[in-house]
Amino acid sequence: MFKYKISLSLFILSLTFFYCKQRKWSNELKYKFNSSISNNKLKFTDLLDSINFIQLDNSELKLGYPLERFHVRNGKYLIAWNESGGYGKCGLFDPKGNLIAHLTSNSDPKLAIGSISDLDLLKDTLFVLSGTKLYKINVNNNSVLEQLNFGEMFSTFRSTEYGLAMFSQMNSEYAVNMFDSRGRFMKGLINLKELPTFISDDFRHFSVFDHKSDLFYCNLSRDIYKIDYQLMNSEILISMDFGVNQLNNKTLYEYLKSAGADHEMQDKLFNKEGKFNFYSKVFNLKSLYFINFKLNKKTYYSLLNKKSQNLVSYSTIDNDTGLNFLTNKFGAIQFMEGINEALYSIAYPESIHQAILNNNNQSSIKIKSNWNAFKEILNSNGNPVVVIYYLKKF
């Protein structure tokens, strides 16, 4: 029996060692591409299997406009917005759009939270980032469990089983640091010393985290990083080179330095050169990476097939679904989340209603959706609509 226990322990230890060994990364890039921006249009009917519309219930909670943050966690919708007067609000909705909890309140001093920078949900704990403070709220009874004060500003974060990954862009360096659940510093994960601090608000959207795949994206760089929260290290997962359309970090720094703190000069400089590129969103889906990037204030799309490692870039989306209101006048969609094989965006009922008035002929719809039933129950004065785009199998 004693030998059996020892053998079992050694077996478990060997499995643990094998697992850790498998998670170690090489120093080489997993993907490195030279990609030219073509005039190819990404056809929605080639990408999507179906579209589903869900309007968020407003019987108890009227959401603000526009929504500041939107996350999907275990099928639930976590939403935050900032009201006039500097108060932040957030709510949790079930997969059908029903309100589960309204998680802040101006009338309760403990829940009267200032403007919200970001929020996240881990099991039954809501994390709300506001200024230098991070609130931990029990979603079951709406009680504040703890309030952490980091003493410095963070723009976004993610809560994980291994701690809090916080992104800072207010200090002399842009960095991702790891803290434990009590707010104590553990380790610096990424430090981008080469980026200057005097960048206008239009260019300050530096980071996007992917909830499940532990991805971090430095938007002013051609590189997409991956952070392993368990091993607490990082590597460059994808390096995209757009040739003449992409500034390298050194040239980018020189350009920004020459513009100084003059925001108007920065705008003119990047618009003139047409070389300013940053990632606005990168979604790690089951079969592919779906990448939004912006060049000279225009949105482009790249699809990287994980199996074939084939990368294709598109200059715009061809919305051939028959649901024209999904894309704006620039032919773009602001996807806000990507989970498994689905992308998510937010649509506002006023714009949908106007589209119905402008185009009553729905016979041209070329994709499976619940649109015909949904438009009959759409509340034009109600809360925003969650649009779910289910991808085809690749």
Side-chain angles (χ1 to χ4, degrees):
M1 185 68 180
F2 181 68
K3 287 184 177 181
Y4 172 76
K5 286 184 177 180
I6 292 177
S7 300
L8 181 61
S9 299
L10 289 173
F11 176 71
I12 293 173
L13 183 62
S14 63
L15 280 180
T16 304
F17 174 79
F18 176 77
Y19 173 74
C20 292
K21 188 176 181 181
Q22 290 299 101
R23 287 179 63 88
K24 286 184 179 179
W25 294 317
S26 67
N27 293 324
E28 298 179 358
L29 298 181
K30 295 205 172 187
Y31 302 101
K32 186 174 183 178
F33 298 102
N34 294 318
S35 177
S36 60
I37 297 175
S38 67
N39 291 321
N40 293 338
K41 290 186 176 181
L42 175 59
K43 282 190 176 183
F44 254 6
T45 53
D46 290 339
L47 177 68
L48 303 178
D49 178 68
S50 61
I51 300 176
N52 199 39
F53 299 89
I54 298 172
Q55 186 165 25
L56 300 174
D57 174 48
N58 70 331
S59 58
E60 297 181 43
L61 179 63
K62 179 67 176 176
L63 299 182
Y65 176 89
L67 299 183
E68 303 291 333
R69 294 287 183 179
F70 173 86
H71 298 307
V72 180
R73 297 291 181 262
N74 298 321
K76 302 181 181 70
Y77 307 120
L78 184 60
I79 293 172
W81 71 100
N82 294 310
E83 295 185 334
S84 58
Y87 287 104
K89 295 290 186 70
C90 53
L92 183 66
F93 295 80
D94 71 15
K96 294 183 179 180
N98 301 308
L99 180 67
I100 298 174
H102 179 199
L103 298 164
T104 57
S105 172
N106 294 354
S107 59
D108 185 343
K110 290 184 179 180
L111 290 169
I113 296 173
S115 295
I116 296 173
S117 301
D118 201 2
L119 74 168
D120 204 0
L121 183 69
L122 183 63
K123 297 180 180 178
D124 293 329
T125 301
L126 171 74
F127 297 80
V128 179
L129 179 64
S130 177
T132 62
K133 298 178 181 178
L134 184 71
Y135 297 83
K136 297 166 68 174
I137 300 172
N138 186 322
V139 298
N140 296 317
N141 56 20
N142 228 34
S143 62
V144 176
L145 300 172
E146 196 172 9
Q147 179 179 312
L148 308 178
N149 194 335
F150 290 93
E152 62 176 301
M153 298 286 287
F154 292 96
S155 60
T156 189
F157 77 101
R158 281 298 171 265
S159 58
T160 78
E161 298 284 351
Y162 307 101
L164 303 164
M166 313 289 293
F167 180 81
S168 171
Q169 62 185 38
M170 301 299 292
N171 294 337
S172 59
E173 299 170 351
Y174 300 95
V176 178
N177 295 321
M178 200 75 179
F179 296 82
D180 66 15
S181 60
R182 301 299 303 274
R184 292 170 296 200
F185 177 79
M186 296 171 68
K187 186 178 181 180
L189 299 177
I190 290 181
N191 200 326
L192 305 169
K193 295 181 179 180
E194 72 275 14
L195 295 180
T197 59
F198 42 76
I199 299 177
S200 68
D201 291 339
D202 290 341
F203 304 143
R204 294 189 74 91
H205 305 289
F206 283 95
S207 65
V208 180
F209 291 84
D210 184 277
H211 176 60
K212 289 189 175 180
S213 57
D214 305 342
L215 289 177
F216 163 79
Y217 318 107
C218 173
N219 289 351
L220 279 181
S221 167
R222 70 185 70 194
D223 300 327
I224 301 174
Y225 293 84
K226 178 173 180 177
I227 292 176
D228 189 309
Y229 295 134
Q230 181 178 348
L231 297 180
M232 284 197 224
N233 58 12
S234 63
E235 71 166 354
I236 297 175
L237 180 71
I238 300 173
S239 184
M240 306 269 285
D241 185 0
F242 291 96
V244 296
N245 296 303
Q246 171 70 64
L247 297 175
N248 60 42
N249 284 349
K250 181 180 179 182
T251 307
L252 172 63
Y253 181 87
E254 292 172 350
Y255 271 44
L256 288 169
K257 193 172 181 179
S258 66
D262 187 336
H263 296 181
E264 185 177 352
M265 181 63 72
Q266 290 181 11
D267 287 338
K268 287 181 179 179
L269 180 62
F270 288 121
N271 288 335
K272 179 182 177 181
E273 294 296 330
K275 295 180 180 179
F276 177 64
N277 176 67
F278 68 91
Y279 301 111
S280 55
K281 293 283 184 179
V282 186
F283 300 116
N284 185 1
L285 303 174
K286 188 175 181 180
S287 59
L288 55 83
Y289 292 101
F290 187 92
I291 304 169
N292 280 23
F293 63 93
K294 291 187 179 181
L295 178 64
N296 201 13
K297 296 189 175 182
K298 183 176 180 181
T299 301
Y300 296 88
Y301 304 87
S302 288
L303 272 64
L304 171 57
N305 190 307
K306 293 181 180 180
K307 186 175 182 180
S308 66
Q309 298 193 18
N310 181 42
L311 175 75
V312 183
S313 297
Y314 302 90
S315 60
T316 187
I317 281 180
D318 181 6
N319 182 5
D320 58 348
T321 63
L323 302 168
N324 297 327
F325 60 85
L326 293 174
T327 49
N328 61 28
K329 61 182 179 180
F330 302 107
I333 293 180
Q334 182 59 46
F335 294 111
M336 304 184 74
E337 187 72 283
I339 300 291
N340 296 328
E341 290 299 270
L343 296 166
Y344 294 78
S345 73
I346 292 291
Y348 290 92
E350 300 91 339
S351 60
I352 298 177
H353 180 67
Q354 190 60 46
I356 295 174
L357 295 177
N358 294 340
N359 182 17
N360 291 321
N361 180 16
Q362 303 297 324
S363 60
S364 60
I365 294 179
K366 301 177 181 178
I367 196 165
K368 292 184 295 183
S369 74
N370 66 334
W371 169 252
N372 287 327
F374 175 78
K375 68 179 181 179
E376 301 299 329
I377 61 173
L378 172 68
N379 180 355
S380 301
N381 298 313
N383 275 335
V385 175
V386 177
V387 187
I388 309 174
Y389 305 81
Y390 294 101
L391 275 63
K392 291 181 176 179
K393 293 182 179 180
F394 289 90

